[in-house]
Amino acid sequence: MPFVSAPTTSTLTDYLHISVAYVGRSTQVLRQLESRSGIDVREAIEQSGLLQQFPEIDLDINKVGIFGKVVKLDHVLNDADRVEIYRPLIADPKQARKRRASESAKPNTERPAP
């Protein structure tokens, strides 16, 4: 009798369960998808329908990640991955911190009324 190896995990799971998340200015969306193995980040975002729902998303500008780690659009997904689409920053966090620190360091020149 010939030896037959056990199926690998890639043949056991022909489909992946993934999610795609986007936080707009006033809306948060988390879409659950079931997709074929070998799908990349760009394909998952396109399948999610978020590009049609949020026309402000531009994959040439917006960074994307998986669980908070920035990845490229051609990154191949694994089962249970959460793809995140990041909005561009409104203000540079370092500059905002410096501005707040300099404002709090200024002496208060107003005196309370007697």
Side-chain angles (χ1 to χ4, degrees):
M1 178 174 207
F3 176 74
V4 178
S5 63
T8 63
T9 54
S10 62
T11 58
L12 288 175
T13 307
D14 291 331
Y15 288 92
L16 303 175
H17 295 90
I18 56 176
S19 55
V20 180
Y22 178 67
V23 178
R25 294 198 187 278
S26 61
T27 306
Q28 298 179 27
V29 179
L30 180 65
R31 295 269 166 83
Q32 304 295 328
L33 300 175
E34 182 177 87
S35 191
R36 63 173 171 71
S37 296
I39 188 172
D40 65 24
V41 171
R42 180 184 296 274
E43 292 170 314
I45 292 170
E46 290 170 351
Q47 286 182 16
S48 73
L50 292 178
L51 295 177
Q52 290 78 25
Q53 184 177 356
F54 298 97
E56 70 268 18
I57 298 174
D58 182 350
L59 295 180
D60 293 330
I61 296 172
N62 294 81
K63 291 185 179 185
V64 296
I66 298 174
F67 294 116
K69 181 181 177 192
V70 175
V71 297
K72 294 185 179 187
L73 291 169
D74 62 356
H75 179 87
V76 177
L77 296 172
N78 296 306
D79 193 40
D81 277 349
R82 182 184 68 220
V83 176
E84 301 161 341
I85 305 168
Y86 306 123
R87 288 185 295 147
L89 294 176
I90 295 171
D92 179 12
K94 289 181 183 178
Q95 293 298 326
R97 241 185 330 271
K98 285 181 184 178
R99 181 179 41 78
R100 285 192 305 270
S102 68
E103 287 174 2
S104 66
K106 291 179 184 175
N108 188 355
T109 57
E110 294 181 19
R111 295 189 184 265

